[in-house]
Amino acid sequence: MAKIIINGRDVLASATNDSIKCMFLELVAKSSIWTPKEKVTEAPIYPNVRRGRKEDKGREIAGVRIDDNTYANAAIKKAISKDVKFEDFEVCHIWPGTTYDERYHTLLQNLVMLPRALAALSDHMEDVISLLKYRAWELYGWHPAGTEIPQKPAFYPSSWGAAVPDFESAPEKKEVVSFEDLIKDLYYDDDKEAIEIDKVKRKVPKWLNSQDQICTTILTQFMQLSENGKKGVSREELKKASENHGVNDFMGNFNQMKNFGEKNHAKVFTEVGHIISLWEPVSEFVKVQFEYSL
């Protein structure tokens, strides 16, 4: 007997009455961030880039680079402000399916930033999709080739978020990074756990084969104090043991061994309440490597 299918989109549509729906649309409108009109161009910011299969990310197929959403992220964020780091926002494509078309994947007129909690509505709630389509037409006079000019929805909010908040006049500006560094940061954020696991597998064997490295000393002292990772070790205990073996900057190096970071040493530790243990995804690997090095 075939399973009964319950579709979340259908449940949401039937459960959302007109007043709640209007509240959603008002919320989307007021919290959306758009590229200023004077910064949009007729061409995509990064030509020959489109979304594709996850396993093809970063490859070039028939002259087109396969992306997830990284280049689209970079396109709108760089256009809005190079001096601001956006947190808990998602970059959304306005017209469904266009992310798989290199003409529209990084076209600014097709992109909007929404708070992460609302972003899924731009994919699954038809009223939100219609709202954003018309707003893009209203702002930029744009719609994809071969499509009809979008019609103004029956309910259309009177108040929208500014095309861009006044970031440029902020008294303090964050460090400006290159596009290459921005891409690296965005790719790292998307895959940081997998990247750190790979980094540990590359670096830990090298540490354990080179006894004069600071990372080797800190890891070795931890493994000895923890009885090869069987128990936690206090930060002060590890700090004292490492300093007794010649480590001068314990905290600086330890932080690069417990935190995520594109340029860190490698994440081998986790710390809760100043009690240190091996980071779970690499715990068994580190234990085996340490035993092998003895």
Side-chain angles (χ1 to χ4, degrees), residues 7-254:
N7 186 290
R9 188 185 306 182
D10 294 339
V11 171
L12 178 64
S14 63
T16 307
N17 60 37
D18 287 343
S19 61
I20 294 176
K21 190 179 296 182
C22 291
M23 289 173 61
F24 269 132
L25 298 180
E26 289 275 9
L27 196 58
V28 168
K30 289 180 180 179
S31 60
S32 60
I33 298 179
W34 301 78
T35 305
K37 296 179 186 179
E38 64 271 16
K39 292 188 177 181
V40 301
T41 61
E42 293 186 5
I45 299 300
Y46 304 111
N48 301 320
V49 177
R50 65 170 174 82
R51 198 177 185 93
R53 297 188 308 170
K54 185 176 181 180
E55 56 267 33
D56 290 331
K57 175 182 168 182
R59 293 178 56 197
E60 284 197 10
I61 299 176
V64 176
R65 178 176 292 276
I66 303 303
D67 185 36
D68 45 13
N69 215 38
T70 303
Y71 277 79
N73 264 275
I76 188 170
K77 289 175 180 178
K78 188 178 179 182
I80 290 173
S81 176
K82 295 176 288 187
D83 304 318
V84 173
K85 181 175 181 179
F86 295 93
E87 294 183 347
D88 292 319
F89 275 91
E90 294 283 348
V91 175
C92 305
H93 288 82
I94 293 165
W95 285 76
T98 50
T99 186
Y100 297 95
D101 188 327
E102 57 267 32
R103 295 175 298 172
Y104 305 125
H105 181 56
T106 64
L107 187 72
L108 295 173
Q109 296 92 316
N110 192 36
L111 301 174
V112 63
M113 292 179 62
L114 293 175
R116 184 164 290 139
L118 297 176
L121 297 177
S122 70
D123 288 327
H124 303 296
M125 193 170 180
E126 290 299 328
D127 292 277
V128 172
I129 295 170
S130 298
L131 182 78
L132 296 176
K133 285 180 179 179
Y134 188 79
R135 181 60 174 170
W137 167 252
E138 184 178 53
L139 280 175
Y140 311 121
W142 174 84
H143 61 97
T147 64
E148 298 291 333
I149 294 175
Q151 299 300 304
K152 188 173 184 177
F155 174 79
Y156 191 70
S158 59
S159 177
W160 284 79
V164 55
D166 191 16
F167 295 128
E168 302 300 337
S169 64
E172 295 184 6
K173 293 186 177 181
K174 295 188 178 181
E175 180 182 357
V176 178
V177 297
S178 67
F179 171 68
E180 290 76 15
D181 287 340
L182 178 59
I183 286 292
K184 287 179 182 177
D185 288 344
L186 291 167
Y187 269 127
Y188 180 82
D189 287 343
D190 286 345
D191 298 323
K192 62 184 178 182
E193 183 165 312
I195 290 171
E196 286 298 334
I197 292 171
D198 179 68
K199 192 186 299 183
V200 168
K201 290 182 177 180
R202 286 187 290 107
K203 289 192 172 186
V204 166
K206 294 179 181 178
W207 293 350
L208 296 176
N209 284 326
S210 178
Q211 296 302 313
D212 59 349
Q213 291 193 46
I214 292 175
C215 294
T216 306
T217 302
I218 294 174
L219 180 58
T220 299
Q221 294 308 306
F222 171 82
M223 297 303 287
Q224 292 176 350
L225 291 168
S226 68
E227 300 176 6
N228 200 22
K230 293 178 182 177
K231 63 180 184 179
V233 176
S234 74
R235 187 202 297 174
E236 282 305 310
E237 189 178 9
L238 181 56
K239 180 176 184 290
K240 183 177 179 180
S242 299
E243 289 174 345
N244 287 341
H245 286 78
V247 175
N248 294 321
D249 181 15
F250 170 79
M251 284 308 301
N253 286 279
F254 171 67

